[in-house]
Amino acid sequence: MTGSLLEVIALNVRDAVAAEDGGADRLEIVADMSVGGLTPAPETVAAIAKKSALPQMVMLRSNAGYGVTPEELEGLERDARVLADAGAAGFVFGFLDEEGKVDLAATEALIQAVTPLPWTFHRAVDNAADVQAGWRAVRLLPNLATVLTSGDPSGIAAGLPVLRSRAEAGDAPIILAGGGLRPHLVPPLLDYGVRAFHIGSAARSSWSDPVDAERVRRWRDLVDTI
């Protein structure tokens, strides 16, 4: 890996190959970006594993919100085992309860299901009723690799103060900055000590278009300007 980690959302094999050609370090594999990404089919993960050497962080999410029912959680636990066998290198998940607090019971149950693989807590933390309390809760969870965060539900432009405060609190090594990431936002994030970046729509013309290797290459160059 080069100076910074660059993760690119991939929906299929074509996206994965283009992301790798552009210099990405890691993939986030999802389905249905119209609702922010849901659990993909194991066949998708297996097909990507045959064509790309990049690690696949696979989404575990059953609905468009950040909550999970007991039945959905059981399904996600089963999905995790199947997806790991298909080639997942790690997983992306995280839940809030009805009060907007981090749902520790649900999240810890899924951590246990995916162990020993690493996992990312996704942008549910940005939507917590108390974002700083959410961060404190997430920070204590076991086997956490990164936190995919924009600092604010509307995106990184509004969330820079939160990301700066988390970096100053010592969380820069686990911040995976994503959600409305734009080129002009990268320099301040690098100044905060953030070294991991996540792009989705920025790697393509639209969600109906495939990942563009040249766009990924420009982001590769940008995040490496340390």
Side-chain angles (χ1 to χ4, degrees):
M1 194 183 78
T2 46
S4 293
L5 183 143
L6 179 62
E7 178 180 276
V8 177
I9 292 176
L11 304 176
N12 50 45
V13 171
R14 184 178 178 182
D15 284 348
V17 171
E20 185 170 18
D21 288 346
D25 299 297
R26 195 167 79 183
L27 304 170
E28 183 190 65
I29 311 302
V30 305
D32 199 355
M33 281 306 298
S34 68
V35 292
L38 300 178
T39 304
E43 292 81 5
T44 300
V45 172
I48 290 172
K50 291 180 180 178
K51 297 294 184 179
S52 172
L54 295 184
Q56 299 183 60
M57 298 295 287
V58 179
M59 180 69 77
L60 291 173
R61 187 170 180 234
S62 298
N63 61 65
Y66 295 109
V68 64
T69 67
E71 294 77 17
E72 287 173 335
L73 186 59
E74 289 181 8
L76 292 175
E77 290 171 345
R78 291 192 297 269
D79 290 342
R81 291 188 286 272
V82 175
L83 290 162
D85 289 341
F91 293 96
V92 184
F93 56 88
F95 309 104
L96 303 178
D97 63 21
E98 292 180 354
E99 296 179 352
K101 297 177 181 178
V102 173
D103 189 335
L104 293 175
T107 305
E108 288 173 350
L110 209 45
I111 293 170
Q112 189 171 28
V114 307
T115 298
L117 295 178
W119 65 284
T120 291
F121 195 100
H122 63 54
R123 293 185 61 202
V125 72
D126 299 330
N127 292 267
D130 183 331
V131 172
Q132 299 296 358
W135 266 92
R136 289 193 293 272
V138 169
R139 195 69 180 85
L140 297 175
L141 291 166
N143 215 25
L144 175 68
T146 49
V147 179
L148 173 57
T149 175
S150 59
D152 187 274
S154 67
I156 290 178
L160 280 178
V162 170
L163 297 180
R164 181 174 184 174
S165 71
R166 296 318 311 171
E168 291 173 346
D171 289 335
I174 63 168
I175 291 174
L176 174 59
L181 186 62
R182 296 293 179 264
H184 72 280
L185 300 171
V186 170
L189 289 166
L190 289 171
D191 286 344
Y192 302 162
V194 174
R195 295 293 181 267
F197 299 87
H198 167 100
I199 58 172
S201 59
R204 57 185 85 214
S205 299
S206 71
W207 285 113
S208 60
D209 293 308
V211 166
D212 182 330
E214 184 53 40
R215 289 182 184 227
V216 176
R217 195 169 294 112
R218 289 197 293 268
W219 278 95
R220 171 83 274 161
D221 293 341
L222 178 62
V223 303
D224 285 341
T225 55
I226 302 172

